[in-house]
Amino acid sequence: MTLLLKDPEALLDYSVDWGADYLTGDVLTESSWTVSPAEAGGVSIVSSRFDLLQSTVEVGGGVAGRIYRLTNHVVTAEGREDSRSIMLRVEIR
């Protein structure tokens, strides 16, 4: 799991490259993102997108001093399902 820093005012993209380590001869057909904890003023998902091997989420906000988990759940053409998480620590930078 990766721990990254984010400013509460920043609007940033984060990605999971499923083709690098996880998919062999398979491609993504579905991708969804969630954030935990879900709270007022916390990190929010602004948008998301994916291609055959990579999933990206654009996030904003967050409460300084808090840690959030962004989880990407995918389904592949061969019917496999998996999830990977990115940890964000929000700090005023």
Side-chain angles (χ1 to χ4, degrees):
M1 204 172 317
T2 304
L3 178 65
L4 301 171
L5 297 178
K6 181 194 173 304
D7 186 280
E9 300 298 319
L11 185 62
L12 299 172
D13 287 351
Y14 300 95
S15 297
V16 175
D17 184 354
W18 290 92
D21 296 318
Y22 309 113
L23 298 179
T24 304
D26 202 356
V27 295
L28 302 179
T29 57
E30 297 178 35
S31 174
S32 61
W33 288 88
T34 57
V35 62
S36 177
E39 61 183 355
V43 165
S44 63
I45 295 171
V46 176
S47 67
S48 65
R49 61 193 178 279
F50 71 97
D51 59 26
L52 297 177
L53 299 174
Q54 185 168 310
S55 180
T56 302
V57 65
E58 181 181 27
V59 299
V63 177
R66 298 286 303 219
I67 295 177
Y68 298 88
R69 178 189 306 259
L70 296 172
T71 301
N72 180 216
H73 180 81
V74 297
V75 178
T76 71
E78 293 184 11
R80 297 181 182 135
E81 293 189 42
D82 201 359
S83 296
R84 293 288 182 265
S85 294
I86 299 169
M87 301 300 289
L88 292 181
R89 178 172 173 82
V90 178
E91 294 183 4
I92 296 174
R93 300 179 71 185

